[in-house]
Amino acid sequence: MKKMRIKKIEPVVVSQQLKEPFYFSQWEYRLRTICLVKVTAEDGTYGWGEGYGPANLVRAGIEFFAPFVLGADALEHEIIWQQMYLRSLDFGRRGVLLAALSAIDIAVWDIQGKHFGLPVSTLLGGRKNEFVKPYATGLYFSNGGDLKEKLIREAMAYKKQGFLGIKMKVGLGVAKDAEYVIAIKNAIGREVELMIDSNHAYSLREAIQLCDRLKGVDLSWFEEPVSPEHYSDYRKLRARTDIPISGGECEYLRYGFLQLFQNRSVDIAQPDICAAGGITEVKKIAALAHTFGVEVIPHSWGTGIALHAAMHLISNLDIVPGRMYPPAPWMELDRTENALRDSLTEPLIAPENGMLRVPDKPGLGIEVNEEALAKYRVDSQQI
Ligand code: MG
């Protein structure tokens, strides 16, 4: 059988200075820096991947894995995955090394799709949904002007653009959060769903207080209410509120997610394909989640590479529970300022009537714009 050996693995760090810094409960964003990877097979077919995490560390991880992946058959993604996993298991069971593994895994899937002339969603077993339903992630905090007014304006702009769901940040303190969340829900109305995300800003006591204050507000989920380490606090919060609880963007591999599931911590699991183990592993995490009756709505943040990987995987997710008219699955679509997302890859992601059609071009279905890549590429001294 003819092999398709990998001959080159090239991490590429891109960076963009933001025009307007913004912040959330943990830190401020002034710069957006992302590590991509280009993996090339011996016949010249190449694929792109992306890691979610500090770019210089993701790049170091890719450099660490490269010798174990070079020469491997790009058509055997599970063998490549297993090799990287076993090489990192003793010291990298969580965290950024797995973002590097994820980036390479995604690139390998892209190569396979191009080789077979099939979209990644078909390689995964087919699109159980032709459309995904993007929700707008935004409503971060910023200085200058009346924040509540700014957030309402931003939310109304997403509604006007046709988004059927909006996720806002919380974490400014229970009283202020409650005031802002209620104001935004009142502004956007019942037809647009609202989710809140504290990025683990709260103790269990504070998270309960916030849920109590938001009783009856009709929220679709409360994301990362408490520290990702406190699986039992997640469970206790779930028992105290009707608001669905989500988490998992800081979780890794099946083994990490198993802790969330066994502890009955979440209604919705949010693995990041660019961090939790790539397409190969997140498909397995999703299968595990479904056996526990947990919904899967991946976390996604980054360039068109990450977003397209998410679209393919989400379209392949099982429809659970099965029924004739299931709702289209959600997909996170970050709307904050991001020139990397908007210029590095083509085609651009553009929702129509609040929906995104899953691409049917080979691989991830994107081309990287070399001009934009050269513009945003930075060398090691700059990151
Ligand atoms: Mg989040």
Side-chain angles (χ1 to χ4, degrees), residues 167 169 197 199 223-224 249 299 332:
K167 190 166 79 188
K169 292 295 171 186
D197 183 1
N199 295 90
E223 180 169 322
E224 290 201 295
E249 72 181 75
H299 173 262
E332 178 165 25

Side-chain angles (χ1 to χ4, degrees), residues 307-352:
L307 296 174
H308 276 74
M311 246 190 294
H312 286 284
L313 188 123
I314 292 168
S315 76
N316 172 254
L317 289 175
D318 281 348
I319 295 170
V320 183
R323 49 189 143 162
M324 273 184 77
Y325 302 110
W330 285 116
M331 174 178 147
E332 178 165 25
L333 193 57
D334 160 40
R335 295 289 81 197
T336 57
E337 182 195 338
N338 186 344
L340 306 175
R341 177 196 63 222
D342 296 339
S343 63
L344 274 182
T345 55
E346 292 156 356
L348 276 183
I349 290 185
E352 276 177 43

